[in-house]
Amino acid sequence: MKLVVYLIITLLLISTNVQSADIEELQLKAKNTQIKWQQLQLALNSSEDDQNKTQKTVATLRAEYQQALTKELNTFDQLVTTKAQQEYQAYLAERVFEIEHQHHCKRMSSQKECEEEARITALDKAGKQGSSIIINSTTDITTTRKQLNEDVVSDSDFKEKTSMRAFTNISSYQVVESYKLDKSKNHERLWFIKISVHVSAKQNDYYYQQLVNKYKQRLIIHLSQSKQIEHTQDLQTTQYIETVGGIPFVMVKLPGGQFIMGSEQGEFNEQPTSVVQVKSFYIADTEVTKALYQQCIKSKHCNDKWKSSSVLTREEFNQPKADISWYDIKQEFLPWLNKKTGRKYRLPTEIEWEFAARSGSQSDYYYGDRTNQICLYANGAKAKDVSEQCDDGHNKKLAAVKQYNPNKFGLYDMLGNVAEWTNTCGSLYSKMSQDCSQAMIRGGSWYDQPFYLRTSSRIGKNKNTRLDTLGFRLAYSE
């Protein structure tokens, strides 16, 4: 049997590779975006005394960064669409191959009946062969952890799986040869038939979306957002990078120590102040992003409450994950993450969170007390006092992580963007009792005025609460 379909499959597989020439423009755009992002980070960390001048510089650089990022992501979208359409058109194109079949006819069937049976069976066989044109390839990444001397290292094994799906039509065919075989006996007929078959794939929106998703996954490593993790501050801390599903995040080790928790100038639930002790622990330098949380959803361990797309939009990749309850984190995300990494990640306690946010300060904000500087450090609502207003570049909307000045521990967005769940039950400092149907929330969000972005500000929420202003950050103890 001569079958050209295997050659077609080979050509299809070759055509799915993204050539380096195709991504050169994307890489140039990503490089420009990365330069703009690094310039923004340098300005955010500037020690310049003139805060008004610094704010204007930061506002300009943030706008330039957003413009460069938009151009980069437009190029990304165009390249993904082009590659997906090319492969989809190859999928829809008509293909021709030959089927040979030796048919055992029914006993005592006439020659005409025998030939008809052979033709129908050959066409059925051609339909099944034609379905093998469609190949869906998926990659599994298996991560294993092992001990080498005193260090724990991770190895990733890549396994390619191939499955076939039938989505074809036989548009036409021709009988090339058809005759009775000489070895046939009187009461049994053997019939040989060869047909040339024209097959074409059915329109399949689901398959096209699979192609789009595939090219997004292949090309996303070239985006500047996947490289920003490499830009780190020169800090007197220890840190490590964990990678899950191709998504990296940084864990920063904070020293143990003591500090004064609460504020006598704050709200009633921030009083009285007290001196508290903290043991050394690790905390993530950003809030958990949508990209990382999406890995849990894709693995079916996290329930997607809002039935969102399996592929994030270009704006969402580095935004913090919100709209999740305390129980979603504790019962779904953390068990999945810990099984993946072999560690015991958790939510920080309220004491750990405030220690991390203050980073050695005792002021209202970790940079000082004045709200007219807050736009350099946090994504929040504008200050109520007109004279204290400043532009943070995101008017009441979520921002990607690492667009504002980190604190002295190198932690980003501890104030603003999304408020953060902690692992501490609802409580008042003035009372010993706790309400463990609630958990304490810290840091304030993009929706909150500067007063509620102070490091000592706190509020309790029911653990079932899901808000677009509420996310979380990882902690870890050795």
Side-chain angles (χ1 to χ4, degrees):
M1 178 179 10
K2 183 179 177 183
L3 199 58
V4 185
V5 68
Y6 294 115
L7 176 60
I8 294 171
I9 292 172
T10 303
L11 292 174
L12 270 175
L13 290 173
I14 292 173
S15 71
T16 63
N17 293 328
V18 181
Q19 302 299 321
S20 58
D22 296 330
I23 63 173
E24 184 175 348
E25 183 182 359
L26 177 60
Q27 290 174 328
L28 289 173
K29 290 285 198 311
K31 185 176 181 180
N32 184 51
T33 306
Q34 184 72 1
I35 290 170
K36 296 296 184 184
W37 186 81
Q38 291 175 350
Q39 290 173 345
L40 173 61
Q41 298 306 308
L42 288 173
L44 289 172
N45 287 282
S46 174
S47 58
E48 191 173 332
D49 294 330
D50 187 351
Q51 290 295 332
N52 289 328
K53 183 178 179 182
T54 304
Q55 285 182 31
K56 291 178 182 177
T57 301
V58 168
T60 300
L61 289 173
R62 187 176 287 122
E64 290 178 355
Y65 165 68
Q66 290 291 344
Q67 186 178 31
L69 180 61
T70 298
K71 290 181 179 180
E72 175 195 345
L73 293 174
N74 283 339
T75 301
F76 173 77
D77 286 346
Q78 291 169 5
L79 184 55
V80 166
T81 300
T82 298
K83 301 307 295 184
Q85 286 181 347
Q86 286 176 350
E87 188 168 343
Y88 188 60
Q89 290 305 313
Y91 158 81
L92 292 176
E94 186 177 81
R95 298 159 177 85
V96 182
F97 60 94
E98 291 183 346
I99 287 288
E100 295 179 356
H101 176 60
Q102 181 175 297
H103 188 69
H104 291 259
C105 300
K106 294 179 180 178
R107 290 177 61 84
M108 305 303 292
S109 60
S110 67
Q111 179 172 313
K112 183 178 180 181
E113 290 171 338
C114 187
E115 184 174 10
E116 179 69 6
E117 289 174 14
R119 184 183 65 84
I120 292 173
T121 305
L123 283 173
D124 181 63
K125 195 173 183 180
K128 293 176 182 178
Q129 292 287 356
S131 69
S132 65
I133 292 170
I134 312 309
I135 292 185
N136 297 324
S137 180
T138 59
T139 300
D140 285 348
I141 303 175
T142 305
T143 300
T144 57
R145 303 182 68 82
K146 59 184 179 180
Q147 190 85 21
L148 289 180
N149 299 325
E150 299 299 323
D151 299 320
V152 176
V153 297
S154 296
D155 286 338
S156 293
D157 297 323
F158 296 82
K159 297 180 180 179
E160 195 76 15
K161 290 185 177 180
T162 301
S163 59
M164 295 185 181
R165 307 184 68 164
F167 292 109
T168 57
N169 287 319
I170 296 178
S171 54
S172 63
Y173 72 95
Q174 289 179 325
V175 177
V176 179
E177 296 181 62
S178 181
Y179 53 83
K180 176 185 173 184
L181 291 173
D182 293 335
K183 59 182 179 180
S184 299
K185 298 178 181 179
N186 292 333
H187 298 293
E188 181 182 32
R189 297 183 185 276
L190 289 176
W191 200 274
F192 174 82
I193 190 167
K194 179 193 288 188
I195 59 175
S196 176
V197 183
H198 296 242
V199 299
S200 59
K202 297 179 182 179
Q203 289 284 347
N204 188 336
D205 292 338
Y206 174 75
Y207 181 63
Y208 176 73
Q209 190 57 51
Q210 282 185 316
L211 295 176
V212 170
N213 295 350
K214 178 178 74 173
Y215 282 107
K216 282 186 176 182
Q217 292 299 323
R218 287 186 180 183
L219 293 168
I220 203 168
I221 61 171
H222 300 290
L223 291 179
S224 60
Q225 292 173 328
S226 67
K227 302 180 188 306
Q228 287 178 6
I229 202 80
E230 299 169 6
H231 181 89
T232 57
Q233 305 296 319
D234 183 16
L235 300 166
Q236 298 300 314
T237 55
T238 302
Q239 60 186 30
Y240 68 86
I241 299 176
E242 186 88 76
T243 302
V244 179
I247 307 300
F249 58 93
V250 174
M251 297 297 294
V252 179
K253 187 175 185 178
L254 304 188
Q258 64 180 27
F259 72 104
I260 299 174
M261 188 171 183
S263 172
E264 295 296 348
Q265 287 73 47
E267 296 187 291
F268 73 96
N269 66 349
E270 301 169 40
Q271 304 169 21
T273 59
S274 60
V275 177
V276 294
Q277 188 75 29
V278 180
K279 293 182 179 179
S280 174
F281 69 102
Y282 284 89
I283 191 166
D285 72 338
T286 72
E287 294 141 341
V288 169
T289 62
K290 291 179 179 179
L292 179 58
Y293 201 89
Q294 194 71 16
Q295 300 303 308
C296 184
I297 293 175
K298 287 168 64 176
S299 70
K300 308 298 184 184
H301 285 81
C302 288
N303 184 15
D304 187 1
K305 309 299 186 299
W306 309 110
K307 306 300 180 184
S308 57
S309 169
S310 61
V311 177
L312 298 172
T313 65
R314 61 192 191 187
E315 292 85 7
E316 293 175 320
F317 187 82
N318 262 7
Q319 289 179 352
K321 176 62 179 176
D323 282 316
I324 47 174
S325 72
W326 187 91
Y327 288 115
D328 294 336
I329 300 164
K330 295 281 284 187
Q331 297 175 359
E332 297 177 0
F333 181 80
L334 289 177
W336 167 81
L337 181 64
N338 292 338
K339 185 176 180 180
K340 279 282 187 181
T341 62
R343 301 187 195 268
K344 294 182 179 180
Y345 287 108
R346 57 181 174 81
L347 289 172
T349 66
E350 192 181 13
I351 292 175
E352 288 174 332
W353 189 97
E354 188 168 330
F355 176 79
R358 287 191 177 279
S359 58
S361 70
Q362 273 309 131
S363 50
D364 285 346
Y365 310 95
Y366 46 71
Y367 62 84
D369 292 315
R370 297 189 62 186
T371 58
N372 68 342
Q373 300 174 24
I374 199 167
C375 300
L376 300 174
Y377 299 87
N379 174 24
K382 289 186 176 181
K384 293 178 181 178
D385 185 348
V386 175
S387 65
E388 295 280 279
Q389 283 187 5
C390 57
D391 183 9
D392 62 22
H394 295 84
N395 185 20
K396 285 201 170 185
K397 64 179 182 180
L398 203 59
V401 298
K402 291 192 176 183
Q403 290 200 51
Y404 298 87
N405 201 1
N407 67 11
K408 291 181 179 179
F409 284 154
L411 308 178
Y412 294 82
D413 303 307
M414 290 297 288
L415 308 180
N417 220 12
V418 291
E420 300 174 16
W421 286 108
T422 73
N423 202 33
T424 299
C425 293
S427 65
L428 296 175
Y429 293 156
S430 58
K431 296 182 180 180
M432 297 297 293
S433 61
Q434 293 184 328
D435 179 4
C436 286
S437 67
Q438 293 189 343
M440 298 309 296
I441 293 168
R442 291 303 207 106
S445 74
W446 54 265
Y447 184 81
D448 294 313
Q449 298 287 341
F451 180 78
Y452 298 104
L453 304 185
R454 294 172 300 108
T455 50
S456 58
S457 182
R458 60 199 295 264
I459 187 173
K461 289 284 187 184
N462 189 287
K463 292 178 177 179
N464 287 316
T465 302
R466 295 188 183 96
L467 297 171
D468 60 359
T469 56
L470 184 53
F472 69 108
R473 184 181 303 257
L474 295 171
Y476 168 67
S477 296
E478 292 180 302

